[in-house]
Amino acid sequence: QITMLTGEGVFANCKQLETVTFANKTYQGAGFGSRFFYGCSKLKEITIPASVQKLFGDAFRAAVNLKELIMPSAIYDRQARNGALLEWVELTGAGRHFSQDGVIFFRWNNGTVELDTCPRGRSTPYTVPDGIAEIAERAFQGCKKLPEIYFAGKIPKMAQYAFLDCTSLQIPKQY
């Protein structure tokens, strides 16, 4: 169990680390610094406690087997996916970012919803929910295993590079 969080590169290159369990307590001022889990090549799953207040975007760089990330919405950082081939991200608690089916969305002040980020390791077809106003810039970037995309309703506006480097992606002929 981990009882304190802070700093950069804390678990860097701990190549045998597979899972992380946090003590059931509050971590005041805690955060995952730059490259916190860098190179933890066997790390598969982590749940970040709600008391963590900061997450640097490259905290999981080179954690190539990290598949599932559960974290507080308040500290979500789109760059957290860098270096990890996540298949699923779940956000907990209140915030403008929220998750559904492992994908991250953002709710603007006017109530419109944008699809923000699809985990890069997703390997199953995905259906964009009805009512999504826009697919954000680079939302699906690097989703090399994503086989198909469907739209439950109207096809939303798509920002530039929305599907950059989605090398396996097929769009069914119905569109």
PDB file of all heavy atoms in Angstrom, residues 4 6 11 16 22 31 34-35 42 58 60 70 80 82 87-89 95 104 122 128 130 142 147 155 172:
ATOM      1  N   MET A   4       1.867   7.831   0.812  1.00  0.00           N
ATOM      2  CA  MET A   4       2.195   9.219   0.523  1.00  0.00           C
ATOM      3  C   MET A   4       2.436   9.374  -0.973  1.00  0.00           C
ATOM      4  O   MET A   4       3.006   8.492  -1.605  1.00  0.00           O
ATOM      5  CB  MET A   4       3.458   9.607   1.286  1.00  0.00           C
ATOM      6  CG  MET A   4       3.823  11.055   1.151  1.00  0.00           C
ATOM      7  SD  MET A   4       5.252  11.357   2.214  1.00  0.00           S
ATOM      8  CE  MET A   4       6.024  12.630   1.274  1.00  0.00           C
ATOM      9  N   THR A   6       3.811  12.152  -3.985  1.00  0.00           N
ATOM     10  CA  THR A   6       4.419  13.422  -4.349  1.00  0.00           C
ATOM     11  C   THR A   6       5.593  13.149  -5.285  1.00  0.00           C
ATOM     12  O   THR A   6       6.061  12.025  -5.395  1.00  0.00           O
ATOM     13  CB  THR A   6       4.893  14.217  -3.107  1.00  0.00           C
ATOM     14  OG1 THR A   6       5.258  15.521  -3.527  1.00  0.00           O
ATOM     15  CG2 THR A   6       6.039  13.553  -2.409  1.00  0.00           C
ATOM     16  N   PHE A  11       8.120   6.069  -9.120  1.00  0.00           N
ATOM     17  CA  PHE A  11       8.175   4.636  -9.405  1.00  0.00           C
ATOM     18  C   PHE A  11       8.818   4.361 -10.765  1.00  0.00           C
ATOM     19  O   PHE A  11       8.606   3.303 -11.345  1.00  0.00           O
ATOM     20  CB  PHE A  11       6.766   4.027  -9.368  1.00  0.00           C
ATOM     21  CG  PHE A  11       6.164   4.021  -7.999  1.00  0.00           C
ATOM     22  CD1 PHE A  11       5.275   5.008  -7.627  1.00  0.00           C
ATOM     23  CD2 PHE A  11       6.493   3.042  -7.086  1.00  0.00           C
ATOM     24  CE1 PHE A  11       4.718   5.009  -6.355  1.00  0.00           C
ATOM     25  CE2 PHE A  11       5.949   3.039  -5.814  1.00  0.00           C
ATOM     26  CZ  PHE A  11       5.052   4.033  -5.444  1.00  0.00           C
ATOM     27  N   GLN A  16       8.551  -4.556 -12.471  1.00  0.00           N
ATOM     28  CA  GLN A  16       7.729  -5.661 -11.977  1.00  0.00           C
ATOM     29  C   GLN A  16       6.413  -5.204 -11.346  1.00  0.00           C
ATOM     30  O   GLN A  16       5.584  -6.026 -10.991  1.00  0.00           O
ATOM     31  CB  GLN A  16       8.530  -6.496 -10.969  1.00  0.00           C
ATOM     32  CG  GLN A  16       9.794  -7.109 -11.547  1.00  0.00           C
ATOM     33  CD  GLN A  16       9.538  -7.958 -12.779  1.00  0.00           C
ATOM     34  OE1 GLN A  16       8.644  -8.808 -12.788  1.00  0.00           O
ATOM     35  NE2 GLN A  16      10.295  -7.732 -13.840  1.00  0.00           N
ATOM     36  N   PHE A  22      -3.889   2.053  -3.109  1.00  0.00           N
ATOM     37  CA  PHE A  22      -3.634   3.177  -2.221  1.00  0.00           C
ATOM     38  C   PHE A  22      -4.305   2.949  -0.881  1.00  0.00           C
ATOM     39  O   PHE A  22      -5.392   2.379  -0.819  1.00  0.00           O
ATOM     40  CB  PHE A  22      -4.164   4.472  -2.839  1.00  0.00           C
ATOM     41  CG  PHE A  22      -3.388   4.892  -4.038  1.00  0.00           C
ATOM     42  CD1 PHE A  22      -3.796   4.512  -5.306  1.00  0.00           C
ATOM     43  CD2 PHE A  22      -2.238   5.652  -3.906  1.00  0.00           C
ATOM     44  CE1 PHE A  22      -3.072   4.890  -6.422  1.00  0.00           C
ATOM     45  CE2 PHE A  22      -1.506   6.033  -5.018  1.00  0.00           C
ATOM     46  CZ  PHE A  22      -1.921   5.651  -6.271  1.00  0.00           C
ATOM     47  N   GLY A  31       0.027  14.676  -5.451  1.00  0.00           N
ATOM     48  CA  GLY A  31      -0.053  14.667  -6.895  1.00  0.00           C
ATOM     49  C   GLY A  31       0.891  13.664  -7.491  1.00  0.00           C
ATOM     50  O   GLY A  31       1.844  13.223  -6.847  1.00  0.00           O
ATOM     51  N   SER A  34       5.655  14.404 -12.843  1.00  0.00           N
ATOM     52  CA  SER A  34       6.113  14.000 -14.165  1.00  0.00           C
ATOM     53  C   SER A  34       6.781  12.628 -14.089  1.00  0.00           C
ATOM     54  O   SER A  34       7.572  12.357 -13.187  1.00  0.00           O
ATOM     55  CB  SER A  34       7.110  15.050 -14.656  1.00  0.00           C
ATOM     56  OG  SER A  34       7.567  14.718 -15.934  1.00  0.00           O
ATOM     57  N   ARG A  35       6.389  11.753 -14.991  1.00  0.00           N
ATOM     58  CA  ARG A  35       6.956  10.398 -15.103  1.00  0.00           C
ATOM     59  C   ARG A  35       6.857   9.599 -13.792  1.00  0.00           C
ATOM     60  O   ARG A  35       7.732   8.807 -13.478  1.00  0.00           O
ATOM     61  CB  ARG A  35       8.386  10.479 -15.609  1.00  0.00           C
ATOM     62  CG  ARG A  35       8.420  11.061 -17.002  1.00  0.00           C
ATOM     63  CD  ARG A  35       9.769  10.928 -17.642  1.00  0.00           C
ATOM     64  NE  ARG A  35       9.599  11.176 -19.062  1.00  0.00           N
ATOM     65  CZ  ARG A  35      10.248  12.118 -19.727  1.00  0.00           C
ATOM     66  NH1 ARG A  35      11.114  12.886 -19.112  1.00  0.00           N
ATOM     67  NH2 ARG A  35      10.046  12.269 -21.009  1.00  0.00           N
ATOM     68  N   LYS A  42       4.896  -3.429 -16.637  1.00  0.00           N
ATOM     69  CA  LYS A  42       3.922  -4.464 -16.273  1.00  0.00           C
ATOM     70  C   LYS A  42       2.683  -3.890 -15.585  1.00  0.00           C
ATOM     71  O   LYS A  42       1.750  -4.622 -15.292  1.00  0.00           O
ATOM     72  CB  LYS A  42       4.564  -5.519 -15.382  1.00  0.00           C
ATOM     73  CG  LYS A  42       5.538  -6.408 -16.129  1.00  0.00           C
ATOM     74  CD  LYS A  42       5.957  -7.578 -15.285  1.00  0.00           C
ATOM     75  CE  LYS A  42       6.858  -8.496 -16.099  1.00  0.00           C
ATOM     76  NZ  LYS A  42       7.281  -9.656 -15.309  1.00  0.00           N
ATOM     77  N   ASP A  58       2.447  13.414 -18.332  1.00  0.00           N
ATOM     78  CA  ASP A  58       3.279  12.278 -18.710  1.00  0.00           C
ATOM     79  C   ASP A  58       3.530  11.335 -17.532  1.00  0.00           C
ATOM     80  O   ASP A  58       4.503  10.592 -17.515  1.00  0.00           O
ATOM     81  CB  ASP A  58       4.599  12.756 -19.316  1.00  0.00           C
ATOM     82  CG  ASP A  58       5.466  13.550 -18.357  1.00  0.00           C
ATOM     83  OD1 ASP A  58       4.982  13.896 -17.258  1.00  0.00           O
ATOM     84  OD2 ASP A  58       6.620  13.816 -18.712  1.00  0.00           O
ATOM     85  N   PHE A  60       2.287   8.610 -16.808  1.00  0.00           N
ATOM     86  CA  PHE A  60       2.248   7.192 -17.178  1.00  0.00           C
ATOM     87  C   PHE A  60       3.062   6.888 -18.435  1.00  0.00           C
ATOM     88  O   PHE A  60       2.925   5.825 -19.024  1.00  0.00           O
ATOM     89  CB  PHE A  60       0.800   6.740 -17.383  1.00  0.00           C
ATOM     90  CG  PHE A  60      -0.043   6.976 -16.177  1.00  0.00           C
ATOM     91  CD1 PHE A  60      -0.925   8.035 -16.133  1.00  0.00           C
ATOM     92  CD2 PHE A  60       0.069   6.159 -15.072  1.00  0.00           C
ATOM     93  CE1 PHE A  60      -1.693   8.273 -15.001  1.00  0.00           C
ATOM     94  CE2 PHE A  60      -0.694   6.389 -13.935  1.00  0.00           C
ATOM     95  CZ  PHE A  60      -1.580   7.446 -13.906  1.00  0.00           C
ATOM     96  N   ILE A  70      -8.679   4.617 -13.586  1.00  0.00           N
ATOM     97  CA  ILE A  70      -9.828   5.205 -12.907  1.00  0.00           C
ATOM     98  C   ILE A  70      -9.288   6.379 -12.106  1.00  0.00           C
ATOM     99  O   ILE A  70      -8.345   6.225 -11.324  1.00  0.00           O
ATOM    100  CB  ILE A  70     -10.522   4.185 -11.980  1.00  0.00           C
ATOM    101  CG1 ILE A  70     -10.981   2.970 -12.801  1.00  0.00           C
ATOM    102  CG2 ILE A  70     -11.696   4.833 -11.249  1.00  0.00           C
ATOM    103  CD1 ILE A  70     -11.461   1.803 -11.971  1.00  0.00           C
ATOM    104  N   ALA A  80      -2.701  12.527 -20.045  1.00  0.00           N
ATOM    105  CA  ALA A  80      -2.412  11.354 -19.223  1.00  0.00           C
ATOM    106  C   ALA A  80      -2.327  10.087 -20.060  1.00  0.00           C
ATOM    107  O   ALA A  80      -1.700   9.116 -19.674  1.00  0.00           O
ATOM    108  CB  ALA A  80      -3.466  11.193 -18.132  1.00  0.00           C
ATOM    109  N   ASN A  82      -0.764   9.764 -22.780  1.00  0.00           N
ATOM    110  CA  ASN A  82       0.506   9.690 -23.500  1.00  0.00           C
ATOM    111  C   ASN A  82       1.358   8.542 -22.986  1.00  0.00           C
ATOM    112  O   ASN A  82       1.603   8.415 -21.807  1.00  0.00           O
ATOM    113  CB  ASN A  82       1.289  10.998 -23.371  1.00  0.00           C
ATOM    114  CG  ASN A  82       0.700  12.094 -24.215  1.00  0.00           C
ATOM    115  OD1 ASN A  82      -0.152  11.853 -25.063  1.00  0.00           O
ATOM    116  ND2 ASN A  82       1.138  13.310 -23.986  1.00  0.00           N
ATOM    117  N   GLU A  87      -7.172   1.086 -22.599  1.00  0.00           N
ATOM    118  CA  GLU A  87      -8.380   0.596 -23.268  1.00  0.00           C
ATOM    119  C   GLU A  87      -9.625   1.211 -22.641  1.00  0.00           C
ATOM    120  O   GLU A  87     -10.674   1.246 -23.256  1.00  0.00           O
ATOM    121  CB  GLU A  87      -8.445  -0.929 -23.163  1.00  0.00           C
ATOM    122  CG  GLU A  87      -7.326  -1.615 -23.910  1.00  0.00           C
ATOM    123  CD  GLU A  87      -7.284  -3.111 -23.686  1.00  0.00           C
ATOM    124  OE1 GLU A  87      -8.132  -3.644 -22.923  1.00  0.00           O
ATOM    125  OE2 GLU A  87      -6.402  -3.751 -24.268  1.00  0.00           O
ATOM    126  N   TRP A  88      -9.502   1.683 -21.419  1.00  0.00           N
ATOM    127  CA  TRP A  88     -10.659   2.142 -20.661  1.00  0.00           C
ATOM    128  C   TRP A  88     -10.234   3.243 -19.693  1.00  0.00           C
ATOM    129  O   TRP A  88      -9.243   3.098 -18.991  1.00  0.00           O
ATOM    130  CB  TRP A  88     -11.227   0.967 -19.867  1.00  0.00           C
ATOM    131  CG  TRP A  88     -12.482   1.249 -19.132  1.00  0.00           C
ATOM    132  CD1 TRP A  88     -12.599   1.723 -17.854  1.00  0.00           C
ATOM    133  CD2 TRP A  88     -13.809   1.087 -19.609  1.00  0.00           C
ATOM    134  NE1 TRP A  88     -13.927   1.858 -17.512  1.00  0.00           N
ATOM    135  CE2 TRP A  88     -14.683   1.469 -18.579  1.00  0.00           C
ATOM    136  CE3 TRP A  88     -14.345   0.656 -20.815  1.00  0.00           C
ATOM    137  CZ2 TRP A  88     -16.057   1.426 -18.711  1.00  0.00           C
ATOM    138  CZ3 TRP A  88     -15.719   0.615 -20.947  1.00  0.00           C
ATOM    139  CH2 TRP A  88     -16.565   0.991 -19.908  1.00  0.00           C
ATOM    140  N   VAL A  89     -10.978   4.340 -19.650  1.00  0.00           N
ATOM    141  CA  VAL A  89     -10.761   5.391 -18.662  1.00  0.00           C
ATOM    142  C   VAL A  89     -12.102   5.671 -17.999  1.00  0.00           C
ATOM    143  O   VAL A  89     -13.113   5.833 -18.685  1.00  0.00           O
ATOM    144  CB  VAL A  89     -10.219   6.689 -19.300  1.00  0.00           C
ATOM    145  CG1 VAL A  89     -10.066   7.780 -18.240  1.00  0.00           C
ATOM    146  CG2 VAL A  89      -8.897   6.442 -19.996  1.00  0.00           C
ATOM    147  N   GLY A  95     -17.560  17.041 -12.191  1.00  0.00           N
ATOM    148  CA  GLY A  95     -16.638  17.838 -12.993  1.00  0.00           C
ATOM    149  C   GLY A  95     -17.178  18.007 -14.399  1.00  0.00           C
ATOM    150  O   GLY A  95     -18.151  17.357 -14.791  1.00  0.00           O
ATOM    151  N   ILE A 104     -13.882   9.672 -22.781  1.00  0.00           N
ATOM    152  CA  ILE A 104     -13.991  10.923 -22.026  1.00  0.00           C
ATOM    153  C   ILE A 104     -14.740  11.981 -22.829  1.00  0.00           C
ATOM    154  O   ILE A 104     -14.470  12.190 -24.015  1.00  0.00           O
ATOM    155  CB  ILE A 104     -12.592  11.479 -21.678  1.00  0.00           C
ATOM    156  CG1 ILE A 104     -11.756  10.424 -20.962  1.00  0.00           C
ATOM    157  CG2 ILE A 104     -12.695  12.760 -20.864  1.00  0.00           C
ATOM    158  CD1 ILE A 104     -12.331   9.935 -19.675  1.00  0.00           C
ATOM    159  N   ARG A 122      -8.069   1.163 -27.317  1.00  0.00           N
ATOM    160  CA  ARG A 122      -9.402   0.594 -27.578  1.00  0.00           C
ATOM    161  C   ARG A 122      -9.357  -0.266 -28.827  1.00  0.00           C
ATOM    162  O   ARG A 122      -8.897   0.165 -29.878  1.00  0.00           O
ATOM    163  CB  ARG A 122     -10.439   1.695 -27.723  1.00  0.00           C
ATOM    164  CG  ARG A 122     -11.841   1.116 -27.798  1.00  0.00           C
ATOM    165  CD  ARG A 122     -12.906   2.179 -27.927  1.00  0.00           C
ATOM    166  NE  ARG A 122     -14.198   1.537 -27.847  1.00  0.00           N
ATOM    167  CZ  ARG A 122     -15.004   1.596 -26.804  1.00  0.00           C
ATOM    168  NH1 ARG A 122     -14.682   2.287 -25.752  1.00  0.00           N
ATOM    169  NH2 ARG A 122     -16.165   0.975 -26.813  1.00  0.00           N
ATOM    170  N   VAL A 128     -20.542   6.592 -31.242  1.00  0.00           N
ATOM    171  CA  VAL A 128     -20.613   7.947 -30.692  1.00  0.00           C
ATOM    172  C   VAL A 128     -22.072   8.189 -30.291  1.00  0.00           C
ATOM    173  O   VAL A 128     -22.969   8.050 -31.120  1.00  0.00           O
ATOM    174  CB  VAL A 128     -20.158   8.994 -31.734  1.00  0.00           C
ATOM    175  CG1 VAL A 128     -20.323  10.401 -31.198  1.00  0.00           C
ATOM    176  CG2 VAL A 128     -18.712   8.732 -32.150  1.00  0.00           C
ATOM    177  N   ASP A 130     -25.701   9.795 -29.366  1.00  0.00           N
ATOM    178  CA  ASP A 130     -26.515  10.867 -29.929  1.00  0.00           C
ATOM    179  C   ASP A 130     -26.354  12.118 -29.058  1.00  0.00           C
ATOM    180  O   ASP A 130     -26.185  12.026 -27.848  1.00  0.00           O
ATOM    181  CB  ASP A 130     -27.978  10.428 -29.959  1.00  0.00           C
ATOM    182  CG  ASP A 130     -28.856  11.374 -30.760  1.00  0.00           C
ATOM    183  OD1 ASP A 130     -28.320  12.154 -31.573  1.00  0.00           O
ATOM    184  OD2 ASP A 130     -30.088  11.334 -30.563  1.00  0.00           O
ATOM    185  N   GLY A 142      -4.163   8.118 -32.698  1.00  0.00           N
ATOM    186  CA  GLY A 142      -3.372   6.970 -32.295  1.00  0.00           C
ATOM    187  C   GLY A 142      -4.163   5.748 -31.892  1.00  0.00           C
ATOM    188  O   GLY A 142      -3.589   4.789 -31.382  1.00  0.00           O
ATOM    189  N   PRO A 147     -11.439  -0.660 -34.669  1.00  0.00           N
ATOM    190  CA  PRO A 147     -11.822  -1.228 -35.958  1.00  0.00           C
ATOM    191  C   PRO A 147     -12.923  -0.473 -36.706  1.00  0.00           C
ATOM    192  O   PRO A 147     -12.883  -0.357 -37.928  1.00  0.00           O
ATOM    193  CB  PRO A 147     -12.285  -2.646 -35.609  1.00  0.00           C
ATOM    194  CG  PRO A 147     -12.797  -2.534 -34.201  1.00  0.00           C
ATOM    195  CD  PRO A 147     -11.967  -1.461 -33.547  1.00  0.00           C
ATOM    196  N   ILE A 155     -24.291  12.879 -37.316  1.00  0.00           N
ATOM    197  CA  ILE A 155     -22.831  12.912 -37.282  1.00  0.00           C
ATOM    198  C   ILE A 155     -22.403  14.291 -36.791  1.00  0.00           C
ATOM    199  O   ILE A 155     -22.781  15.313 -37.363  1.00  0.00           O
ATOM    200  CB  ILE A 155     -22.227  12.602 -38.667  1.00  0.00           C
ATOM    201  CG1 ILE A 155     -22.596  11.177 -39.078  1.00  0.00           C
ATOM    202  CG2 ILE A 155     -20.708  12.785 -38.641  1.00  0.00           C
ATOM    203  CD1 ILE A 155     -22.121  10.774 -40.453  1.00  0.00           C
ATOM    204  N   PRO A 172     -18.434   2.173 -41.556  1.00  0.00           N
ATOM    205  CA  PRO A 172     -19.415   1.363 -42.285  1.00  0.00           C
ATOM    206  C   PRO A 172     -20.063   2.138 -43.428  1.00  0.00           C
ATOM    207  O   PRO A 172     -20.257   3.356 -43.345  1.00  0.00           O
ATOM    208  CB  PRO A 172     -20.431   0.997 -41.218  1.00  0.00           C
ATOM    209  CG  PRO A 172     -19.661   1.065 -39.940  1.00  0.00           C
ATOM    210  CD  PRO A 172     -18.692   2.199 -40.136  1.00  0.00           C
TER     211      PRO A 172
END
